[in-house]
Amino acid sequence: MVKTGEQVRNARLPQRSDGGAGERLKGLGSLLAIVAIVGGVPYVLLRFFGKPWPDQMPNRDVLVNQLSAETLIGIITVVIWLAWLHFVVCLLTEAVAEIKGHGLSPRIPLGGGSQTLARRLISGVVLIAGAASVTLPVASAVTTAPLGSPSSVSVAQGNDNSTQDTFRQNEPRSTVQVGAATVKRTHTGVRTNNDHTGQVVKYTEVRPPEGRNYDCLWDIAERYLGEGRRYNEIYNLNKNKLQPDGRRLTNPDLIMPGWQVRLPADAKGAGVHTVLVNVDHKGTTTTTTTPTTSTAKPTAKANASNETRTAEQQGTNAVGSRWFEQQEAEAGSAIGIGSAANDPAAARAGLPGVAAGADKGGAEQGEPVEAGTPVDTGFDTTKAGIYGFGATLLAAGIAIALKRRRGWAQGPGPKAAGHRQTEIDLRLASDVPTARFVDNSLRSLAKTLTDDNRVMPIVIAALVTDRALTLVLEPGESPAAPPGPWQAIADGTRWVLRRAYAPEGDVDGPAPYPTLVTLGRNADGATVLVDLDTADGIVSFGGVTDASRDVVGSLAAELATNLWSEGAHVSMIGFGDDLSTLAPSRLSYWVRLDDALREVTRRTDAQVQACDRREAASVADARMAFPDPMLWGPEIIFMSAPPSPDEERQLARLANDPKRCVAVVVVGDVMSSPWRFVVDEKNQAVCRLLGLEVDAHSINPSQFADLVALFGVAESEALDKRRGDQDLPAYEFSQADLSQPAPVEVDLLGPVEVDARGVLDPGRVSLSTEIVAFLASQDYGVHPNVLAGAIWPRGISEELRNAALEHTRNWVGLDAMYADESGRWLLNRSIVRVDWDVFRTLAKQASLMDDPRAPLSTALSLVHGQSWSNLPAGRYSWLAASGIERKMAEAVVDAALKLAEASLRHNDGNLARTALQTGLSFSPASEDLWRATLRLASHFGTTDDVSAVASQMYSALAKHGGPRGAEPETDALVDELLPGYHRSAAVA
């Protein structure tokens, strides 16, 4: 037995309750039960039934004589004696194991319930000795802080049934003994981009068994706290916490290898992993500080947060895992991604954690002037759509892929009427401008560093806010300062690019991080992306299986459709339905892992050979030095269940090979995984040893079915080249109307623009522009309820709706926008000139003329780029139901073709070329226009001109066209005009 005054051995975990008196009572009860069983049972048997052995040796007649009642009672008595003896053996075995501290005792044959009962009784007796002193470490843990400083933090985490946790906020820096040296272990969590206000939290992983000895909370407490009887503190910190294998800690006697358990703040030693987490999670976290009267000397000092990469192996615990640790944030340590001290422009960059108005000295020299403060528009993009909590980048990738699937048509046609709600939800959730900002920023950074002969830093994660992109570099990275306009913060461990300095237009360069994928939204409201390739191993998503599968499905959908995963190929194994319809060239479905691995190995063998030929150390280096998205494209394997040990080793070998770009994601827990995520019922994903916690994005099977159906209809409509008749506008314009500028002009044949005469708060321009654009798309006005349903599909009060309409009306003019007698809102077309109305008027006039060149030239001069491009996030979802995108594309393509034909009849090649180029600027995926351009170049130009047009065409189709490549008719025409022309493979 463990005695109070003796040194605590490596004993097994005793069952404990919360109160000392209760534990003593429980221990006394266990002691009485042992006495009653060990001594009481033999006394009763001997007193009433006599000795268990017979008075004389039985003869052979016993086997054939009839059994008497006395004989039956004797047999039963012998069985009871044997059961008692078996239990005593179990009891002695458990007692010896407890005294010697050998962990779990040897398993007794046929022990079962007897050995379990014996273990519980022995554990209960231990409570008599341990209850008196077990609370002392808890008391000392909260009374050693300096006088006048916060000494305890009470945190009530949302989605957690555990009781309040009490631990010190300021702790001495943890150290790890490696041989004779003491090594500082530091690392940062990526859950929050406001780390300098985070709370230090410590974790460890339960060790796997060594022989028959299993790790337990008592051993963990003794190992890291120096006192095994403090196991109850660890239990309270982890009670009911979801673990990677989907189970929860509900019994302090039962913990499983690989579980990640939180430790008190004073834990230290090899195997303790510390991270910073945000304890000010809005709506779910409460922080309380209490002063102390202790006279202990202050030990906390201000220290900067430095990051280093660490890896360790505890026996066979998490072989191959790479964990990250963060130096404890102590008083005065204010270095973090939102630190105004290290990033003077952080407030203007919109980084969380920096109070608005902190920069009152005006913009720095060279600062771009920002617009006014945004106002409430009645719509919250973080709650939009069906694709998770604020899944803006995930939905953006799918929305862009859907538009590309439609090709020249750009928008939905009549066949998509049955899928309007799915597309409306998708458009509401998507944030295409932010997706382009992330893509162009990363490509620009890669291009700049490559031109300077510098390597790209290794990135763990990226944080995206409304105004900034932050790259969280790998711990241990010590790169030089980033190129401007990027800024280094947190001692150079993070690079930040403010959105005001984002590259203008598309950047022509390779995407440096093609496996970067959106995980969810963190406590600061930032979108968190993780780079799967950085894990160098299997990334597992354990916890609740169904929720994990939905989260992993969203990762696969984004990697198959987003902008920066060019050349990527996603293999999904065992997910039920075939989702390859979403991206036929980038996503494939497999039933067996072996079949998928053969294809993955075959494709990545080419990467190994190419790296050897170019003497490149890794695919990441070769991708920048020798751009080729088809060759260096990553292979991402998604599995719906954990692999077998052999498969796990094979997958880990592929993922760890730097000359192969392979990432593996598994639904379910894999103990050797370097990144183990836990997903709960509310889709909250946590990677404890990375300090990462997000509200994860997810797509469930029914939503996938809706998307697959929507994409199928989109592809069908892209092949439908029939042109619908264009209706004349309600107001037809004359030449006199076009000779002078109108009081209000609305441009829809390109990026939406409204030129109004009034004054409007800059924060209301986006909303008012959408209202005017919606009314401009309606020839005869709309009822206010219809208008509200289109502009505010998630609902809005009548008061706010009327206020927004009144602001818009004052902007464009009281006589330009009004409600008629029936209450329908409309634009006064005699005052408001809409370019789409003018275009339709001129197109109708041209159809009635023998020489349509003049009206068609005027009509096409109104086109100024792709229509409905660069739309703000969460707006213009009504386009999914209006059909105006497709009508515009049909009208512009027809007008361009007709003007080119008419120009060729009059031998005017320049006008024909201008007409086709204008049409392609509006619909760059129209192969009808590209084929006409090829014929025009062949007629008037040289072979080099035709070759240049062919190269431009395939490049445009790869960027804007469908995933299946050019139409057979287009390829046949190229082969006819350019025999032997080499077409590069398309990169979706």
Side-chain angles (χ1 to χ4, degrees):
M1 296 297 176
V2 177
K3 298 181 180 180
T4 305
E6 296 178 351
Q7 182 180 359
V8 180
R9 300 182 178 89
N10 189 20
R12 296 172 308 118
L13 176 66
Q15 178 76 24
R16 291 284 311 279
S17 62
D18 293 331
E23 290 176 346
R24 283 191 288 271
L25 289 175
K26 185 175 181 180
L28 182 60
S30 299
L31 181 59
L32 292 176
I34 292 176
V35 173
I37 295 175
V38 175
V41 171
Y43 174 79
V44 171
L45 292 175
L46 291 172
R47 176 70 176 80
F48 297 100
F49 301 100
K51 299 184 298 294
W53 54 84
D55 295 330
Q56 59 182 8
M57 291 294 294
N59 53 34
R60 58 187 305 175
D61 295 335
V62 174
L63 301 176
V64 296
N65 290 343
Q66 185 176 1
L67 292 177
S68 63
E70 183 178 354
T71 304
L72 286 175
I73 293 175
I75 294 174
I76 295 174
T77 302
V78 171
V79 171
I80 295 175
W81 274 106
L82 292 175
W84 172 84
L85 181 61
H86 183 271
F87 179 81
V88 170
V89 172
C90 293
L91 201 64
L92 291 174
T93 303
E94 295 296 325
V96 170
E98 180 63 38
I99 294 172
K100 292 185 177 181
H102 289 166
L104 290 180
S105 60
R107 185 173 300 174
I108 303 300
L110 304 177
S114 297
Q115 191 169 7
T116 301
L117 178 59
R119 183 182 301 120
R120 291 186 177 277
L121 291 177
I122 294 295
S123 299
V125 173
V126 174
L127 295 179
I128 300 177
S133 60
V134 75
T135 58
L136 294 180
V138 183
S140 63
V142 296
T143 58
T144 56
L147 179 63
S149 64
S151 62
S152 66
V153 178
S154 177
V155 182
Q157 296 284 353
N159 302 331
D160 187 357
N161 298 325
S162 63
T163 59
Q164 290 186 336
D165 305 333
T166 302
F167 50 91
R168 287 185 293 171
Q169 186 176 14
N170 298 326
E171 284 293 315
R173 196 172 307 162
S174 63
T175 59
V176 177
Q177 298 293 332
V178 181
T182 299
V183 181
K184 305 284 186 184
R185 305 293 299 277
T186 62
H187 118 171
T188 190
V190 296
R191 176 191 171 205
T192 173
N193 47 340
N194 190 17
D195 282 338
H196 65 286
T197 62
Q199 171 65 53
V200 173
V201 176
K202 299 183 178 181
Y203 288 99
T204 190
E205 283 200 354
V206 179
R207 294 177 178 179
E210 298 179 2
R212 293 186 176 183
N213 296 325
Y214 288 77
D215 207 4
C216 63
L217 294 186
W218 184 285
D219 294 343
I220 293 173
E222 186 177 63
R223 194 159 58 237
Y224 302 124
L225 302 178
E227 175 57 77
R229 285 168 293 190
R230 291 182 60 186
Y231 77 93
N232 204 38
E233 296 178 56
I234 303 176
Y235 174 65
N236 288 333
L237 285 174
N238 296 276
K239 185 178 180 181
N240 293 325
K241 292 288 183 65
L242 186 67
Q243 294 294 332
D245 61 359
R247 289 179 280 193
R248 297 178 186 270
L249 178 58
T250 57
N251 184 350
D253 273 338
L254 182 60
I255 59 174
M256 304 303 295
W259 278 14
Q260 297 167 343
V261 296
R262 181 174 169 178
L263 300 174
D266 59 338
K268 58 184 178 181
V272 176
H273 311 280
T274 63
V275 295
L276 284 176
V277 298
N278 189 350
V279 297
D280 189 21
H281 195 168
K282 180 184 293 186
T284 61
T285 304
T286 304
T287 304
T288 306
T289 61
T290 59
T292 180
T293 58
S294 172
T295 59
K297 294 181 180 180
T299 57
K301 296 182 180 179
N303 291 285
S305 297
N306 299 317
E307 297 181 351
T308 59
R309 179 72 178 270
T310 63
E312 68 179 18
Q313 180 175 345
Q314 293 287 338
T316 57
N317 184 24
V319 177
S321 296
R322 301 184 309 172
W323 298 337
F324 310 106
E325 297 187 352
Q326 171 64 41
Q327 175 179 311
E328 284 82 352
E330 301 177 356
S333 176
I335 296 179
I337 195 162
S339 173
N342 292 276
D343 184 8
R348 290 185 300 277
L351 298 175
V354 179
D359 181 19
K360 298 191 179 188
E364 295 180 357
Q365 185 176 1
E367 281 284 324
V369 178
E370 299 270 344
T373 303
V375 299
D376 183 12
T377 60
F379 180 78
D380 183 5
T381 56
T382 65
K383 298 180 181 178
I386 60 176
Y387 304 100
F389 183 82
T392 52
L393 297 183
L394 164 63
I398 298 175
I400 293 172
L402 179 63
K403 187 173 183 178
R404 290 186 55 187
R405 185 63 57 88
R406 292 190 171 118
W408 69 273
Q410 301 189 33
K415 295 180 181 178
H419 305 279
R420 285 177 179 172
Q421 190 57 49
T422 300
E423 185 168 356
I424 287 174
D425 290 335
L426 180 61
R427 293 188 184 225
L428 281 175
S430 65
D431 188 353
V432 175
T434 298
R436 297 193 185 280
F437 160 61
V438 173
D439 181 41
N440 290 324
S441 298
L442 295 177
R443 292 177 189 268
S444 176
L445 176 63
K447 189 174 186 300
T448 302
L449 291 178
T450 302
D451 293 342
D452 294 341
N453 292 322
R454 295 174 56 186
V455 298
M456 291 293 294
I458 300 176
V459 169
I460 294 177
L463 307 170
V464 183
T465 63
D466 292 339
R467 297 184 183 178
L469 167 65
T470 302
L471 300 181
V472 181
L473 306 188
E474 182 186 43
E477 283 281 298
S478 299
W486 289 80
Q487 292 179 314
I489 63 174
D491 292 343
T493 58
R494 301 193 178 198
W495 288 3
V496 180
L497 176 66
R498 286 172 286 165
R499 197 159 184 169
Y501 289 124
E504 296 182 0
D506 294 336
V507 178
D508 185 14
Y513 306 113
T515 57
L516 197 66
V517 63
T518 307
L519 185 60
R521 190 176 293 268
N522 70 3
D524 289 335
T527 299
V528 179
L529 299 89
V530 294
D531 193 351
L532 300 177
D533 189 42
T534 305
D536 286 346
I538 298 174
V539 179
S540 66
F541 284 80
V544 179
T545 302
D546 291 342
S548 299
R549 185 176 289 112
D550 294 346
V551 170
V552 170
S554 75
L555 302 183
E558 181 177 347
L559 287 168
T561 57
N562 69 21
L563 293 171
W564 51 86
S565 295
E566 60 180 7
H569 190 272
V570 176
S571 300
M572 300 186 70
I573 298 101
F575 278 85
D577 296 333
D578 186 355
L579 307 177
S580 58
T581 303
L582 299 180
S585 61
R586 284 170 59 171
L587 193 152
S588 57
Y589 173 78
W590 304 89
V591 177
R592 290 169 45 86
L593 176 62
D594 292 342
D595 298 335
L597 286 180
R598 276 195 293 271
E599 284 299 309
V600 170
T601 303
R602 180 184 64 80
R603 286 192 289 263
T604 55
D605 282 344
Q607 295 179 348
V608 175
Q609 297 168 6
C611 285
D612 292 338
R613 288 195 304 269
R614 294 167 172 80
E615 297 182 352
S618 66
V619 169
D621 295 339
R623 183 182 291 119
M624 297 295 101
F626 311 97
D628 187 343
M630 288 299 297
L631 175 60
W632 309 120
E635 296 285 338
I636 307 104
I637 301 173
F638 289 89
M639 296 183 62
S640 62
S644 67
D646 291 340
E647 293 170 340
E648 182 179 333
R649 286 190 289 270
Q650 186 176 2
L651 291 170
R653 194 162 49 246
L654 289 174
N656 284 319
D657 190 346
K659 295 184 179 181
R660 302 177 190 264
C661 189
V662 178
V664 183
V665 181
V666 171
V667 176
D669 185 35
V670 178
M671 287 183 58
S672 64
S673 171
W675 292 359
R676 298 170 67 194
F677 288 88
V678 183
V679 184
D680 64 13
E681 300 85 349
K682 297 183 179 180
N683 280 356
Q684 186 178 65
V686 178
C687 186
R688 295 187 175 104
L689 302 186
L690 279 180
L692 192 151
E693 181 177 342
V694 298
D695 293 309
H697 300 164
S698 65
I699 306 180
N700 61 41
S702 63
Q703 293 164 354
F704 264 127
D706 293 339
L707 285 175
V708 168
L710 179 61
F711 272 69
V713 171
E715 185 163 3
S716 174
E717 289 186 332
L719 300 176
D720 187 1
K721 298 299 182 64
R722 293 175 296 176
R723 306 285 193 256
D725 294 334
Q726 297 293 335
D727 297 330
L728 281 174
Y731 184 91
E732 296 188 30
F733 293 84
S734 64
Q735 291 295 332
D737 297 325
L738 303 178
S739 60
Q740 298 295 329
V744 180
E745 296 189 2
V746 180
D747 296 336
L748 301 181
L749 293 170
V752 179
E753 298 177 1
V754 177
D755 184 7
R757 54 194 175 185
V759 178
L760 185 65
D761 188 310
R764 303 184 189 276
V765 170
S766 179
L767 173 61
S768 295
T769 299
E770 183 182 8
I771 293 174
V772 173
F774 178 71
L775 293 177
S777 68
Q778 308 294 320
D779 293 331
Y780 302 101
V782 293
H783 190 275
N785 291 339
V786 176
L787 187 148
I791 306 299
W792 299 279
R794 300 300 178 188
I796 191 175
S797 67
E798 184 176 348
E799 180 181 2
L800 288 176
R801 180 200 67 189
N802 294 338
L805 292 175
E806 192 62 27
H807 286 302
T808 304
R809 189 183 181 201
N810 292 331
W811 179 42
V812 299
L814 300 180
D815 54 346
M817 174 181 166
Y818 62 93
D820 60 13
E821 297 82 359
S822 63
R824 298 170 65 89
W825 283 88
L826 67 160
L827 299 177
N828 186 350
R829 292 310 215 270
S830 62
I831 298 176
V832 180
R833 186 162 66 198
V834 182
D835 61 352
W836 173 233
D837 293 344
V838 177
F839 187 96
R840 287 184 292 171
T841 300
L842 295 173
K844 186 63 175 180
Q845 293 175 1
S847 66
L848 303 177
M849 301 172 62
D850 294 334
D851 186 2
R853 287 182 295 169
L856 288 179
S857 296
T858 305
L860 288 174
S861 67
L862 300 173
V863 176
H864 56 285
Q866 284 187 270
S867 66
W868 313 104
S869 58
N870 298 324
L871 298 178
R875 297 201 176 279
Y876 294 86
S877 61
W878 48 269
L879 289 172
S882 69
I884 191 173
E885 291 172 295
R886 186 181 180 95
K887 292 178 181 178
M888 284 184 173
E890 291 175 348
V892 172
V893 169
D894 279 347
L897 290 173
K898 289 179 180 178
L899 179 56
E901 292 172 0
S903 301
L904 289 177
R905 287 198 299 268
H906 293 82
N907 202 31
D908 189 349
N910 290 331
L911 182 58
R913 182 170 58 253
T914 301
L916 295 175
Q917 289 175 347
T918 302
L920 288 172
S921 70
F922 189 87
S923 181
S926 173
E927 297 190 45
D928 287 341
L929 293 176
W930 279 115
R931 288 194 289 267
T933 305
L934 284 169
R935 295 188 181 97
L936 183 66
S938 176
H939 183 73
F940 288 99
T942 64
T943 301
D944 291 340
D945 296 329
V946 179
S947 180
V949 171
S951 298
Q952 294 173 4
M953 177 187 69
Y954 284 115
S955 177
L957 293 180
K959 185 175 182 179
H960 302 284
R964 303 190 187 280
E967 298 173 359
E969 184 179 352
T970 301
D971 287 336
L973 179 61
V974 172
D975 292 338
E976 179 184 350
L977 299 179
L978 297 170
Y981 177 80
H982 175 70
R983 293 185 290 273
S984 58
V987 180

